[in-house]
Amino acid sequence: MVRSKYLKPAAYARKIRLVVARILLKCGIPLKNTTKVDGFVVKFWATSFLEYFLRAEESYVREKVTMYWIRNYINPDDVVYDVGANVGAYSLLIGKIVQSGNGRVYAIEPESNNYSALNRNIVLNQLTDKVVAYAFAFGDSRRASKFFLSSGIVGSSLHSIDKPESDRNQFVPHHIQGVLLESMDHFVTYQGIEFPNHIKIDVDGVEKMIVYNMKGVLADKRLKTIMIEIETILSGGVIEEILSKHRFKEVMREQWGDRTIFNVLYVRS
């Protein structure tokens, strides 16, 4: 006879906790979620169940390649760009790592609700001096555009720049927000901005535009790794070719279900 996993006390208690959390958050009561990861304690002030569960807990177990990258390549003195930081799950964890050294995290998040939550979580984790949040989007050049939001829920994703289409899927926007774009090649020239040793890019379909306009950054040997989500049909091999030309070798990849979307880790060879 096979026993249900929910008969186990720990699993049952977790299920009850999540049900209660969902109810309280739906009633507008913010909750603190404290998650232990690799000896670090990462805290979130959640105002949605999406942030409370998917971001604060599931981020550290469901994205295996991303966690492998963090555990095996990020050192305390490194500078890391988290492009598409959302509410900060990975920015906060990396911030804990660099807290013992001279490193820093640049968390880039243009969506207004997520940006607010990102900053709230940075303060909660006492990482103000280690994680710096910026409310703009990396793209092709310095310009103003429209940012189409797929949802207003904190922790949501699949938003888009220039048109309401994310990862090849068109949608009716919940809200249209203004957004400023900048190329990464130009951003790194600003006074006071530190050059990245590692870059994570998770931007739901505009990754080709970002990579195509960061060739100067890619050519600099101070950049060691790139952790990127690629929609392979949208890329059409362009991202892969650019990274290969700059001597970045694919080390590991993870597919999202049966979709043509992969988390791919590239390391300079």
Side-chain angles (χ1 to χ4, degrees):
M1 179 178 177
V2 179
R3 299 179 62 189
S4 169
K5 65 178 181 179
Y6 293 119
L7 294 179
K8 298 178 181 179
Y12 184 74
R14 182 171 185 265
K15 184 175 177 64
I16 293 298
R17 173 177 64 83
L18 293 176
V19 169
V20 172
R22 186 186 291 273
I23 293 171
L24 292 174
L25 289 163
K26 193 172 183 178
C27 292
I29 301 172
L31 298 176
K32 183 186 289 186
N33 186 318
T34 300
T35 304
K36 295 181 179 179
V37 188
D38 297 344
F40 297 106
V41 175
V42 185
K43 302 175 183 178
F44 295 79
W45 266 119
T47 58
S48 75
F49 188 73
L50 186 62
E51 180 181 9
Y52 182 87
F53 178 62
L54 186 66
R55 303 303 178 193
E57 296 185 16
E58 289 295 288
S59 290
Y60 303 122
V61 294
R62 73 190 187 103
E63 294 204 17
K64 293 179 172 53
V65 176
T66 303
M67 290 302 296
Y68 176 86
W69 169 67
I70 293 172
R71 287 166 173 153
N72 291 276
Y73 291 96
I74 310 299
N75 295 309
D77 292 329
D78 288 336
V79 175
V80 183
Y81 287 9
D82 185 358
V83 184
N86 203 278
V87 300
Y90 300 117
S91 290
L92 297 172
L93 178 57
I94 297 170
K96 297 283 184 177
I97 294 172
V98 302
Q99 200 167 29
S100 63
N102 297 313
R104 201 173 318 279
V105 181
Y106 288 73
I108 314 300
E109 178 51 55
E111 200 278 328
S112 56
N113 293 312
N114 290 342
Y115 182 73
S116 176
L118 169 63
N119 281 279
R120 184 171 62 239
N121 292 331
I122 290 170
V123 173
L124 180 63
N125 286 274
Q126 300 181 327
L127 290 170
T128 297
D129 61 334
K130 287 295 179 181
V131 181
V132 185
Y134 287 90
F136 74 96
F138 278 124
D140 51 358
S141 62
R142 182 187 295 176
R143 62 184 174 92
S145 185
K146 292 180 179 180
F147 195 44
F148 297 87
L149 308 190
S150 64
S151 169
I153 298 173
V154 176
S156 63
S157 59
L158 299 176
H159 313 302
S160 65
I161 295 169
D162 295 336
K163 58 184 178 180
E165 181 178 312
S166 180
D167 285 337
R168 296 189 297 121
N169 296 313
Q170 295 184 349
F171 61 90
V172 177
H174 165 80
H175 174 58
I176 302 174
Q177 177 193 307
V179 65
L180 295 175
L181 277 71
E182 180 61 282
S183 73
M184 195 178 300
D185 276 350
H186 195 259
F187 178 74
V188 297
T189 68
Y190 290 158
Q191 184 175 358
I193 296 297
E194 298 161 284
F195 191 89
N197 304 117
H198 309 279
I199 298 174
K200 172 186 162 288
I201 301 174
D202 185 352
V203 290
D204 299 324
V206 296
E207 55 271 7
K208 181 167 72 172
M209 179 168 60
I210 293 174
V211 171
Y212 193 83
N213 293 280
M214 58 178 280
K215 293 176 183 176
V217 171
L218 292 172
D220 194 309
K221 292 184 179 180
R222 287 177 292 176
L223 179 61
K224 303 172 185 176
T225 71
I226 299 170
M227 181 69 237
I228 183 170
E229 181 183 275
I230 301 175
E231 212 296 351
T232 55
I233 293 179
L234 286 177
S235 172
V238 172
I239 293 174
E240 296 86 340
E241 182 180 359
I242 292 173
L243 295 180
S244 177
K245 283 184 177 179
H246 287 87
R247 302 185 64 81
F248 282 92
K249 180 181 179 181
E250 179 182 323
V251 171
M252 184 180 295
R253 72 167 47 206
E254 177 180 30
Q255 185 174 8
W256 284 111
D258 59 354
R259 296 185 292 172
T260 56
I261 301 174
F262 297 82
N263 278 345
V264 189
L265 171 58
Y266 287 91
V267 176
R268 189 182 295 280
S269 58

